[in-house]
């Protein structure tokens, strides 16, 4: 009997809910978990079900000090629901599951399945085994069993998609536990990546984001130092692919051939998210970040010379152990010099199991908070000044779904510019759909968004918009989303904005 038959024989189609914490890798892994469950006959629970599904899956993150407290608090909230609902199952996967293993079932014995980062494809089997044997199933693989992109995927957007090009990380940053949980870097074959992209474009996707823990280190596993720039150029030859982005690159691997490929490939967007973490050379050394301030600013200078309108964003950690006021001033110096369009700033918190957690010189919370507020204030000022430079420009926006929380009351729609800036624009009389492209003139700038208050200058209906419309008209037959696996031949809402280079969530 198939898993679908078993689900139905147990009392109708079973529903599921996946809760995701952490970085872009986890977001994309959750798309695969959803795809696996739907392939096994489950149906996504309605929005806002809040644990009322037959199966609730937690895809966890381990990079925060309180990650386990957050998980066990949520598991505790579900315990009475599970007790009163026969047949309900709870599964825990992701980085925290890879790290804690048997501890999860000991602390929360009502959990049915624990699986790791290397064997997410086993989830349906483990759920079924737990149901039949009536006992918890804990299965953690020590190495990757199959590249995740070979698994079914329930994509949250009809017009934009993540595409993993590698998994794992070869770096040893002292604040990061991800290499221990995700393993060493393993690259996909270029032909497999391009086949997946072509299949997505055939389904209507017009924007893809290449994803890797250190995305521009791609090629180290297959012995080609220029593999990433070649991949970007190959993406430029795919008919119908309008926008290509990537996240997150490491400054160590940012070579001139990558900059040239970005500048010379029309569908590679003028956007770069490159983690800084600190502007101080001593702190970077303590972090085991294999670059220094001069190298980082040199990359920024080269990118701006080749792509003048590039929007550059970054990640910064404040209060790393041993950081002095002079060290922090160096971070502020880099922020002033680089003039980031946006910076995702984090107060350092201990990651259990990392070298930094045991370092001397842990900074008092009060000092970290004060430095953090100064950094945020400086970046807000720069972000606003950089956004003001966009006023008067004419931009093409890809219409987004769900990014304008006030669009209903302001009678506006929202979209992303080529450089990924968020723009709210006046709703035109002509119907536009997520995935379609509009041309607007920017009239106003705020620190975190732009406005185009005049009439839309042009509307271009796209295959991506057709795909969005088709998906929504077929909701009765298939829940929202696009279920795709790797093509047989050859080998969400919009995508979340990149907020987590090098395991900072």
């Amino acid at each position: 009997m198939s898993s679908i038959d078993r689900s139905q024989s147990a009392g109708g189609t079973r529903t599921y809910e996946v809760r995701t914490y952490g970085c872009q890798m986890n977001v994309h892994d959750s798309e695969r978990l959803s795809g696996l469950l739907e392939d096994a006959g489950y149906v996504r629970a309605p929005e806002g079900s809040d644990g009322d599904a037959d199966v609730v899956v937690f895809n966890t993150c381990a990079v925060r000090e309180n990650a386990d407290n957050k998980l066990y608090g949520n598991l505790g909230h579900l315990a009475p629901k599970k007790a009163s609902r026969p047949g309900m199952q709870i599964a825990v996967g992701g980085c925290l599951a890879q790290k804690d293993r048997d501890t999860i079932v000991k602390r929360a014995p009502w959990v049915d399945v624990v699986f790791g980062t290397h064997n997410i494809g086993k989830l349906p089997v483990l759920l079924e085994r737990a149901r039949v044997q009536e006992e918890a199933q804990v299965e953690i693989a020590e190495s990757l069993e199959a590249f995740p992109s070979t698994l079914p995927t329930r994509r949250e957007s009809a017009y934009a998609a993540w595409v993993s090009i590698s998994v794992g990380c070869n770096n040893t940053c002292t604040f990061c536990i991800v290499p221990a949980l995700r393993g060493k870097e393993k690259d996909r074959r270029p032909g497999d990546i391009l086949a997946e992209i072509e299949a997505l474009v055939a389904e209507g996707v017009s924007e893809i984001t290449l994803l890797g823990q250190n995305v521009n280190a791609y090629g180290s596993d297959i012995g080609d130092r220029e593999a990433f720039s070649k991949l970007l150029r190959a993406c430029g030859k795919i008919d119908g692919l309008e926008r290509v982005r990537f996240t997150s690159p490491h400054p160590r691997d940012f070579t001139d051939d990558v900059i040239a490929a970005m500048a010379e490939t029309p569908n590679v967007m003028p956007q770069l998210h490159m983690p800084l973490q600190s502007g101080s050379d001593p702190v970077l050394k303590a972090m085991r970040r294999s670059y220094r301030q001069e190298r980082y600013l040199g990359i920024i200078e080269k990118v701006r010379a080749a792509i003048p309108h590039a929007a550059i964003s970054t990640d910064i950690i404040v209060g790393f152990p041993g950081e002095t006021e002079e060290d922090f001033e160096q971070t502020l110096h880099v922020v002033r010099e680089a003039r980031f369009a946006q910076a995702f700033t984090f107060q350092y918190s201990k990651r259990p199991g990392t070298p930094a957690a045991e370092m001397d010189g842990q900074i008092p919370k009060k000092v970290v908070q004060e430095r953090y507020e100064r950094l945020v204030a400086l970046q807000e000022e720069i972000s606003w000044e950089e956004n003001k430079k966009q006023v008067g420009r004419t931009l093409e926006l890809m219409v987004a779904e769900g990014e304008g929380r006030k669009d209903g009351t302001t009678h506006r729609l929202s979209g992303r510019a080529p450089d990924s800036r968020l723009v709210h624009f006046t709703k035109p009389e002509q119907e536009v759909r997520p995935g379609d492209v509009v041309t607007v003139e920017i009239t106003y700038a705020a620190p975190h968004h732009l406005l185009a208050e005049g009439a839309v200058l042009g509307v271009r209906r796209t295959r991506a918009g057709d795909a969005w419309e088709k998906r929504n008209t077929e909701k009765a037959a298939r829940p929202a989303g696009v279920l795709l696996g790797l093509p047989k031949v050859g080998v969400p809402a919009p995508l979340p904005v990149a907020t987590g280079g090098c395991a900072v969530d």
Side-chain angles (χ1 to χ4, degrees):
M1 184 183 291
S2 71
S3 58
I4 296 176
D5 294 334
R6 284 191 292 268
S7 296
Q8 292 174 341
S9 64
T13 302
R14 288 168 60 78
T15 59
Y16 76 90
E17 175 189 350
V18 178
R19 300 186 184 183
T20 309
Y21 306 96
C23 68
Q24 304 96 320
M25 285 289 186
N26 273 18
V27 173
H28 193 26
D29 281 351
S30 288
E31 291 186 325
R32 294 186 179 112
L33 292 171
S34 296
L36 284 160
L37 290 171
E38 293 194 6
D39 205 40
Y42 294 83
V43 173
R44 174 178 281 193
E47 293 292 331
S49 59
D50 191 26
D52 286 333
D54 296 304
V55 173
V56 179
V57 182
F58 291 87
N59 189 9
T60 63
C61 174
V63 302
R64 286 301 195 194
E65 186 176 18
N66 65 348
D68 56 347
N69 292 332
K70 187 173 185 179
L71 171 65
Y72 293 115
N74 287 323
L75 290 175
H77 175 71
L78 287 184
K81 290 191 177 186
K82 187 169 191 285
S84 63
R85 184 169 183 166
M88 180 181 177
Q89 292 182 296
I90 299 173
V92 179
C95 289
L96 191 62
Q98 186 79 21
K99 181 172 76 75
D100 285 358
R101 308 182 179 218
D102 295 324
T103 304
I104 294 173
V105 174
K106 291 177 181 176
R107 291 186 60 177
W110 55 93
V111 169
D112 298 277
V113 170
V114 178
F115 62 100
T117 58
H118 298 309
N119 64 332
I120 65 175
K122 290 288 187 65
L123 176 59
V125 172
L126 293 173
L127 287 168
E128 182 65 8
R129 191 186 302 164
R131 185 185 71 80
V132 172
Q133 297 182 6
E134 297 184 345
E135 64 180 12
Q137 302 294 310
V138 179
E139 188 169 310
I140 305 292
E142 297 301 331
S143 60
L144 194 66
E145 294 183 346
F147 203 94
S149 288
T150 62
L151 302 174
T153 303
R154 182 192 193 278
R155 305 209 180 249
E156 293 303 313
S157 172
Y159 55 89
W162 302 108
V163 175
S164 288
I165 68 171
S166 64
V167 295
C169 178
N170 292 339
N171 292 319
T172 58
C173 300
T174 54
F175 57 81
C176 182
I177 198 171
V178 167
L181 304 179
R182 292 274 181 180
K184 292 293 186 181
E185 181 180 326
K186 185 168 182 58
D187 296 335
R188 291 177 71 189
R189 291 167 54 89
D192 292 348
I193 297 168
L194 295 172
E196 181 180 359
I197 296 172
E198 289 169 353
L200 288 167
V201 171
E203 289 285 338
V205 168
S206 60
E207 175 178 324
I208 61 103
T209 299
L210 302 174
L211 187 62
Q213 213 72 52
N214 288 318
V215 69
N216 60 326
Y218 177 75
S220 62
D221 182 50
I222 58 179
D224 184 351
R225 291 181 58 85
E226 295 189 353
F228 186 62
S229 61
K230 292 175 183 176
L231 182 61
L232 290 178
R233 292 183 186 277
C235 287
K237 298 176 182 178
I238 297 177
D239 187 37
L241 180 59
E242 297 195 17
R243 295 187 173 192
V244 177
R245 307 186 191 277
F246 58 88
T247 195
S248 288
H250 193 293
R252 180 198 64 190
D253 303 302
F254 216 97
T255 51
D256 290 348
D257 62 296
V258 172
I259 297 173
M262 291 175 64
E264 296 165 9
T265 310
N267 63 357
V268 175
M269 293 294 96
Q271 174 212 357
L272 173 63
H273 180 81
M274 186 167 66
L276 168 66
Q277 309 303 11
S278 174
S280 160
D281 287 355
V283 173
L284 288 170
K285 182 178 180 180
M287 290 178 166
R288 290 190 198 149
R289 300 287 287 178
S290 50
Y291 56 89
R292 299 296 179 259
Q293 180 189 118
E294 183 179 5
R295 160 73 171 157
Y296 188 94
L297 288 175
I299 295 170
I300 299 294
E301 183 178 358
K302 288 181 179 180
V303 170
R304 289 236 163 88
I307 315 167
H309 289 298
I312 300 172
S313 58
T314 195
D315 298 328
I316 301 173
I317 298 173
V318 178
F320 188 81
E323 181 188 73
T324 65
E325 178 62 24
E326 182 180 357
D327 291 326
F328 179 66
E329 285 292 341
Q330 288 301 304
T331 295
L332 296 181
H333 169 70
V334 175
V335 169
R336 293 188 186 99
E337 291 293 309
R339 300 198 63 80
F340 299 113
Q342 191 174 16
F344 300 97
T345 52
F346 305 89
Q347 297 184 39
Y348 172 77
S349 63
K350 292 182 180 180
R351 275 78 162 170
T354 63
E358 306 300 324
M359 285 182 176
D360 294 332
Q362 302 287 329
I363 310 299
K365 171 67 176 175
K366 183 177 179 180
V367 175
V368 177
Q369 181 67 34
E370 187 272 339
R371 290 176 183 170
Y372 176 79
E373 290 174 359
R374 285 160 58 196
L375 173 61
V376 169
L378 173 61
Q379 183 57 50
E380 287 277 302
E381 178 184 337
I382 292 172
S383 294
W384 199 359
E385 290 173 354
E386 292 301 305
N387 274 359
K388 286 176 181 176
K389 295 178 182 178
Q390 305 299 310
V391 174
R393 292 189 65 195
T394 299
L395 300 175
E396 277 198 341
L397 313 178
M398 182 175 290
V399 181
E401 181 177 32
E403 291 216 61
R405 289 177 295 176
K406 299 180 181 179
D407 283 350
T409 56
T410 58
H411 303 289
R412 294 182 179 126
L413 297 176
S414 298
R416 289 280 173 180
D419 64 10
S420 200
R421 283 183 167 91
L422 178 64
V423 182
H424 306 299
F425 61 94
T426 301
K427 187 175 182 179
E429 293 184 5
Q430 181 180 349
E431 179 192 15
V432 291
R433 308 156 301 177
D436 286 339
V437 174
V438 298
T439 304
V440 301
E441 181 179 337
I442 304 303
T443 58
Y444 175 82
H448 302 292
H449 68 267
L450 303 171
L451 292 181
E453 300 164 298
V456 168
L457 303 178
V459 174
R460 177 165 61 86
R461 292 172 69 86
T462 66
R463 292 173 62 254
D466 294 341
W468 180 91
E469 185 174 357
K470 179 181 178 183
R471 185 193 71 177
N472 281 270
T473 57
E474 293 178 350
K475 277 185 177 180
R478 180 190 295 269
V482 182
L483 186 61
L484 286 175
L486 194 68
K488 303 281 187 191
V489 293
V491 187
L495 293 176
V497 175
T499 59
C502 280
V504 178
D505 69 342

